[in-house]
Amino acid sequence: HELTHLAFHDTLSQLPNRALLIDRLERALARADRRNASVAALFLDLDNFKVVNDSLGHQVGDRLLVAVAERLRSCVRPEDTLARLGGDEFVIVLEEFAEVDEVLHVAERIARELQDPIVLDGQDFFATASIGITLSTPYQSKPDSLVRDADLAMYRAKSNGKARYAIFDQTMAAAAMARLELETDLRHALERGELRVHYQPMMDLATGRVQEVEALVRWAHPRRGLVAPLSFIPLAEETGLILPLGRWVLHEACQQLRAWQLQYPTRSPLRVSVNLSARQFQHPQLVNDIANVLRDTGLNPADLKLEITESVMMQDAGGTGDMLRQLKELGVKLAIDDFGTGYSSLASLQRFPLDVLKIDRSFVERLGIDPEGEAIVRAIITVAKALNLAVTGEGIETTEQLDLLRTLGCDLGQGYFISRPGPSEAAAAIFADAATSSYLSVPADTGGDHRSFGNFH
Ligand code: C2E
Ligand code: CA
Ligand code: CA
């Protein structure tokens, strides 16, 4: 008996394991079929458990899981199955409920039970869970597919903002399929060389000169055409593919810039900005990777600017300062991107070794539309100047916005009004041309008419 217990129970929580769960589900489904009823499966995953485990160690993590298991047990009847699949994943199987509401009540009860802090060594921990719920279809459901569907619904609960439940529907299966397909395609995209880097000029607002570009990744998908980064960067971030992808963009952009510097010496110093995602920025190898790229391409570190969004910088201000200082030691420039959308503390801003602040497009958009928009941009520029940062305004789409930013003392401007992002040939055309705006006559990646703007030289 001891041995069978071991084989079917999780040693940490003493709860049934996956093997026993599947067995119980099998029986429950058979019983339900006879009564033409349903079985409910609740897939539960703790939110942010990884943070506890990584920062406080596995021992604390394990004790937290045991405490959570205890609370979950108090939410179900003795005849219900509560199993632990491993990690911070639990499954609850409910039978013989009169209506769906009863199942939802269990999910709500769990949320309530977890509200009180779990106290370990005098320290309070607050656990929340994301729960996916699915109901079996008589004579159709299999144990594995039921667990899988509940898992998909849990995934939806997470992406809807965690600490909530979601009920499975068929669109989730379709979305999961599409995601899987995209992930496979993206993996191949790297190997098959389907990624491209486009460049968007940044104009010195005082002189009208263009000496800087921002590198923006594109995916030349064999069937879908040119795919914008917002439809694959989040997935790349989630799957970890962002690391090789980001390394490739960095190398490509630095190599391209070095070639331009040699080709257009009178325009020197030409500079490039490259975006870093959260995962790249938190990766311990980043500093090494960048040093290698700089060495391989022979680019002067001061000609590379790294853009990190405000929200990523503020996620863990302690770690951020360390990483920024290490990057700074390489000699590269640092920009805070999408400024105004996160929650910066001025104290952290002051401590970070930054060079540039990029005003988020949403503020530039309001310039000239409402007086508040102008007041906000003015305030941001004042803060930036007080901190000794250069300011870039992004998303400039009208001449009014451009003029206002210039008047308010903004240093660099970027936006469709100046130029859309385009392939390297388009950027080269602007560098080659000493006085005109021939860049705009080269087709860029997004269609639409380009207003001619003969203001850079
Ligand atoms: P971002 O860093 O804020 O880049 C600026 C985005 O605004 C670009 O979108 C650009 O095409 C767009 N934009 C520029 N001017 C205007 C304008 O006047 N009006 C409007 N409406 N939009 C304008 P894109 O290229 O689609 O990139 C979106 C985001 O994807 C970027 O936002 C950046 O966060 C991310 N991204 C792009 N390339 C990379 C990359 O290589 N690595 C990483 N980690 N993220 C990237
Ligand atoms: Ca950027
Ligand atoms: Ca931005």
Side-chain angles (χ1 to χ4, degrees), residues 63-360:
R63 287 168 62 200
L64 193 67
L65 286 174
V66 171
V68 167
E70 211 47 60
R71 298 241 174 130
L72 293 179
R73 220 190 303 260
S74 73
C75 297
V76 295
R77 299 165 300 184
E79 63 269 29
D80 297 324
T81 296
L82 164 64
R84 176 169 175 244
L85 292 194
D88 57 347
E89 295 176 341
F90 298 86
V91 172
I92 294 169
V93 179
L94 302 176
E95 289 180 77
E96 296 191 32
F97 44 87
E99 45 187 323
V100 181
D101 268 2
E102 279 179 40
V103 177
L104 301 187
H105 283 150
V106 172
E108 283 154 12
R109 170 118 195 255
I110 291 170
R112 265 202 316 279
E113 275 303 313
L114 291 177
Q115 260 167 13
D116 291 334
I118 292 169
V119 186
L120 299 175
D121 299 333
Q123 211 184 332
D124 284 355
F125 291 91
F126 292 90
T128 62
S130 298
I131 303 173
I133 301 172
T134 192
L135 300 184
S136 69
T137 316
Y139 301 105
Q140 283 182 31
S141 296
K142 300 261 178 306
D144 281 324
S145 63
L146 210 61
V147 173
R148 189 200 56 216
D149 291 351
D151 188 6
L152 283 174
M154 182 281 292
Y155 196 84
R156 177 68 58 90
K158 286 256 187 230
S159 54
N160 285 350
K162 301 180 179 171
R164 65 196 64 212
Y165 64 77
I167 300 164
F168 175 79
D169 68 59
Q170 284 303 328
T171 64
M172 293 179 189
M177 276 301 288
R179 213 180 92 92
L180 197 65
E181 200 187 335
L182 190 70
E183 186 184 332
T184 314
D185 281 3
L186 189 56
R187 240 171 247 288
H188 288 142
L190 272 160
E191 294 154 14
R192 293 178 189 152
E194 292 169 4
L195 296 178
R196 308 275 178 269
V197 178
H198 279 193
Y199 299 90
Q200 186 174 34
M202 293 186 226
M203 190 174 77
D204 181 326
L205 293 182
T207 64
R209 262 176 90 80
V210 173
Q211 288 181 296
E212 300 204 26
V213 287
E214 176 172 4
L216 295 161
V217 70
R218 301 286 181 266
W219 176 8
H221 192 283
R223 291 185 313 279
R224 301 181 203 197
L226 213 55
V227 184
L230 289 182
S231 40
F232 64 91
I233 292 271
L235 180 68
E237 179 79 8
E238 236 174 78
T239 54
L241 278 171
I242 192 72
L243 296 171
L245 188 156
R247 231 175 271 133
W248 180 83
V249 170
L250 193 69
H251 190 273
E252 178 71 20
C254 289
Q255 184 169 283
Q256 177 60 259
L257 188 78
R258 186 66 196 128
W260 281 332
Q261 289 180 333
L262 296 172
Q263 208 175 347
Y264 309 110
T266 57
R267 258 196 194 259
S268 82
L270 287 173
R271 299 205 186 90
V272 69
S273 288
V274 176
N275 293 287
L276 293 183
S277 74
R279 191 130 167 197
Q280 287 175 279
F281 184 64
Q282 281 139 13
H283 198 64
Q285 267 295 101
L286 178 68
V287 179
N288 235 328
D289 282 350
I290 293 174
N292 287 340
V293 167
L294 289 168
R295 203 196 41 233
D296 290 353
T297 58
L299 190 70
N300 177 5
D303 298 336
L304 172 64
K305 200 188 281 174
L306 300 172
E307 298 192 357
I308 301 134
T309 63
E310 182 185 24
S311 46
V312 168
M313 276 199 200
M314 296 302 154
Q315 258 171 33
D316 158 29
T320 297
D322 279 349
M323 182 52 102
L324 291 176
R325 273 183 287 280
Q326 288 183 55
L327 291 170
K328 196 67 193 174
E329 270 168 33
L330 292 175
V332 300
K333 299 272 186 268
L334 299 171
I336 182 163
D337 203 355
D338 299 349
F339 186 82
T341 57
Y343 299 92
S344 282
S345 89
L346 284 178
S348 321
L349 269 188
Q350 204 166 11
R351 272 186 288 118
F352 294 162
L354 299 170
D355 302 283
V356 179
L357 181 156
K358 293 188 85 169
I359 307 175
D360 189 66

